[in-house]
């Protein structure tokens, strides 16, 4: 067993073990990938204030996210195709999250279905919804999430149309992989992944195949999906979806103060400051850079989570100290899953919690809930001097 001291260690193992198209799906952004890079590098501009001669005993990273007790303020973000990163990936990531004490969010575009995850974990989880043109399918999908006792609906707002991701197009991304000569050559070097997939419960999109009229296999799925994302999604439709759900709602993909105000006005329990991990609008600002402006805009009317760019416990601390109520990780847990399955997800969470706890102590704080701007040194122009 290699010694894992940070998320980058998991990423190196992940790179070796997972087929190229699924590694590239995770580790890439749209177009020039400027926003994808900025999501990570902008965290480096924020520095920490070291404090000494402070009682560091009795520390706690425990917090709450939308009223749910969490071991630390980190949720696993919805990531499509997680079951292609490792056999039964969504099921195993959900179990690792539950055992650790943090929320797991299942993507609409998951390989394991809502029912698979509910049966495997037997614990409530969050479900992420992409709005589709097929309203009957969306209605039934929401009902399936209710039947599975999902405790929150996460509605993604920033994928009405698909941003162009060059690597996915060039790799011919699909689930399961299309067996081209290039794909076969790459899969031959990933024998551990292949053996696992032989025993996987599913190898296609479990929330779609068999649940949509005319879509019974992967060959029919691509055409349906390409035409289904709803470009007409607006605040009126979002409000109707919230009413249809009737429970706690998190609106994900907020990157503008005016949009944040609208989300709060609709009564969202939380919003997620996110640019889809840099996979949609390339050239948009990083999530951490716009976080302060959005916090000012909503003024405590709704909880604010941050997603996109978190690779360490120090990143979590910086987001919390700026005022976020919680964070979400995507790539960081996928690295662990692809590297070592369920144990890898647990390891990723342990790494982040250990970094958060140690950094919190060295900043002179004992509780994550007491972090604030007093723990940070933020550049005066961090928000940028932009003209709109």
């Amino acid at each position: 067993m290699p010694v894992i001291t940070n998320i980058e260690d998991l990423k190196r193992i992940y790179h070796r073990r997972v087929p190229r198209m699924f590694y590239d799906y995770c580790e890439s952004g749209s177009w020039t990938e400027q926003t994808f890079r900025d999501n990570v590098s902008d965290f480096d501009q924020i520095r920490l204030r070291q404090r000494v001669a402070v009682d560091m005993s009795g520390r706690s990273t425990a917090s709450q996210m939308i009223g749910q007790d969490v071991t630390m303020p980190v949720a696993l973000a919805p990531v499509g195709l997680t079951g292609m990163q490792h056999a039964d990936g969504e099921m195993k990531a959900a179990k690792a999250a539950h055992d650790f004490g943090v929320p797991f969010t299942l993507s609409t575009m998951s390989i394991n279905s809502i029912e698979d995850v509910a049966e495997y974990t037997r614990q409530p989880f969050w479900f992420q919804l992409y709005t589709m043109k097929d309203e009957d399918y969306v209605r039934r999908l929401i009902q399936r999430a209710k039947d599975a006792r999902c405790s929150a609906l996460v509605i993604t707002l920033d994928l009405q149309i698909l941003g162009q991701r060059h690597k996915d197009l060039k790799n011919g991304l699909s689930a399961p992989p299309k067996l081209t000569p290039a794909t076969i050559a790459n899969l031959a070097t990933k024998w551990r992944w292949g053996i696992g997939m032989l025993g996987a419960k599913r190898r296609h999109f479990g929330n779609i195949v068999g649940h949509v009229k005319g879509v019974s296999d992967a060959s029919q799925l691509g055409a349906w999906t390409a035409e289904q994302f709803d470009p007409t999604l607006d605040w009126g439709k979002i409000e109707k979806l919230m009413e249809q759900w009737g429970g706690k709602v998190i609106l994900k993909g907020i990157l503008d103060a005016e949009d944040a105000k609208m989300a709060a006005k609709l009564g969202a329990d939380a919003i997620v400051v996110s640019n889809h991990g840099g996979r949609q609008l390339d050239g948009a600002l990083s999530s951490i850079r716009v976080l302060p402006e959005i916090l000012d805009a909503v003024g405590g009317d709704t909880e604010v989570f941050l997603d996109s760019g978190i690779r360490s416990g120090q990143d979590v601390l910086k987001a919390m100290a700026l005022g976020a109520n919680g964070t979400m990780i995507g790539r960081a847990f996928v690295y662990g899953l692809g590297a070592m399955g369920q144990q890898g997800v647990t390891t990723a969470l342990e790494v982040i919690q250990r970094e958060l706890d140690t950094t919190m102590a060295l900043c002179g704080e004992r509780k994550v809930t007491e972090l604030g701007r007093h723990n940070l040194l933020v550049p005066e122009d961090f928000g940028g001097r932009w003209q709109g």
Side-chain angles (χ1 to χ4, degrees):
M1 174 70 70
V3 177
I4 306 297
T5 62
N6 55 41
I7 296 299
E8 191 66 23
D9 289 339
L10 290 170
K11 181 180 173 183
R12 282 190 285 268
I13 303 171
Y14 166 63
H15 189 204
R16 293 198 304 267
R17 294 186 175 178
V18 175
R20 180 189 304 116
M21 71 167 60
F22 301 122
Y23 175 86
D24 284 350
Y25 170 78
C26 172
E27 195 58 17
S28 63
S30 61
W31 289 318
T32 69
E33 300 187 337
Q34 178 188 38
T35 301
F36 168 69
R37 294 188 299 272
D38 288 351
N39 277 336
V40 176
S41 62
D42 280 354
F43 272 98
D44 295 337
Q45 295 186 41
I46 302 173
R47 303 304 170 89
L48 304 169
R49 291 186 65 197
Q50 177 177 300
R51 300 302 303 275
V52 298
V54 176
D55 182 358
M56 297 179 182
S57 63
R59 297 188 305 280
S60 174
T61 61
S63 183
Q64 286 192 334
M65 297 176 72
I66 59 168
Q68 178 177 337
D69 291 333
V70 293
T71 302
M72 62 177 173
V74 175
L76 270 57
V79 179
L81 291 164
T82 303
M84 285 287 107
Q85 304 290 353
H86 191 281
D88 298 330
E90 288 90 3
M91 293 158 60
K92 292 178 179 178
K95 186 67 165 60
H98 168 70
D99 290 349
F100 198 86
V102 298
F104 169 79
T105 316
L106 183 69
S107 170
T108 293
M109 306 304 292
S110 61
I111 301 300
N112 294 130
S113 68
I114 297 171
E115 294 79 9
D116 292 339
V117 175
E119 181 180 3
Y120 189 76
T121 63
R122 300 192 181 279
Q123 297 294 332
F125 54 93
W126 298 352
F127 179 68
Q128 175 268 334
L129 178 71
Y130 282 127
T131 56
M132 306 288 192
K133 295 177 184 176
D134 187 337
E135 294 183 357
D136 178 64
Y137 167 72
V138 171
R139 178 188 57 76
R140 287 185 287 108
L141 189 62
I142 290 175
Q143 186 59 51
R144 287 168 60 198
K146 286 183 180 181
D147 293 343
R149 297 188 302 119
C150 291
S151 54
L153 185 69
V154 181
I155 305 175
T156 295
L157 308 182
D158 59 357
L159 207 146
Q160 292 171 266
I161 60 174
L162 194 65
Q164 180 165 308
R165 303 151 191 179
H166 300 326
K167 292 176 184 176
D168 290 352
L169 294 171
K170 291 175 179 176
N171 287 331
L173 179 71
S174 65
K178 294 183 178 69
L179 296 181
T180 65
T183 301
I184 292 171
N186 182 245
L187 290 178
T189 69
K190 311 295 181 183
W191 59 268
R192 187 193 302 263
W193 178 90
I195 290 173
M197 281 296 165
L198 290 175
K201 187 177 182 71
R202 299 185 193 278
R203 289 178 287 275
H204 53 64
F205 293 102
N207 287 325
I208 300 174
V209 174
H211 296 280
V212 175
K213 185 177 180 181
V215 179
S216 58
D217 58 43
S219 64
Q220 300 163 322
L221 179 63
W224 182 85
T225 304
E227 297 175 356
Q228 275 298 315
F229 290 113
D230 185 3
T232 68
L233 179 67
D234 59 17
W235 293 110
K237 287 190 174 183
I238 294 165
E239 186 174 19
K240 290 179 181 177
L241 289 171
M242 293 172 65
E243 292 172 355
Q244 187 176 342
W245 173 250
K248 292 186 177 181
V249 173
I250 301 169
L251 298 182
K252 182 175 181 289
I254 302 293
L255 212 64
D256 183 270
E258 294 305 312
D259 288 338
K261 291 176 183 177
M262 284 298 301
K265 184 178 180 180
L266 285 184
D269 295 275
I271 62 174
V272 185
V273 179
S274 172
N275 51 46
H276 217 95
R279 293 172 59 77
Q280 282 297 96
L281 178 59
D282 189 39
L285 293 177
S286 68
S287 294
I288 191 65
R289 193 180 286 272
V290 301
L291 176 62
E293 178 185 359
I294 289 176
L295 286 163
D296 289 343
V298 299
D301 291 339
T302 183
E303 291 187 28
V304 177
F305 304 154
L306 181 129
D307 166 79
S308 303
I310 291 177
R311 303 290 188 274
S312 70
Q314 288 201 336
D315 294 340
V316 173
L317 184 144
K318 290 174 182 178
M320 297 296 291
L322 281 176
N325 302 102
T327 62
M328 301 184 89
I329 58 170
R331 291 180 175 94
F333 92 79
V334 169
Y335 298 157
L337 180 69
M340 296 186 295
Q342 182 173 322
Q343 179 55 51
V345 178
T346 300
T347 299
L349 291 169
E350 288 173 344
V351 164
I352 289 174
Q353 185 185 35
R354 184 166 56 248
E355 292 172 341
L356 173 59
D357 175 70
T358 301
T359 305
M360 190 171 68
L362 295 174
C363 287
E365 301 292 348
R366 292 193 292 181
K367 295 183 179 180
V368 73
T369 52
E370 295 176 354
L371 293 168
R373 288 293 288 261
H374 61 278
N375 300 120
L376 303 178
L377 296 170
V378 184
E380 290 183 3
D381 63 344
F382 184 68
R385 299 175 182 176
W386 313 99
Q387 290 186 346

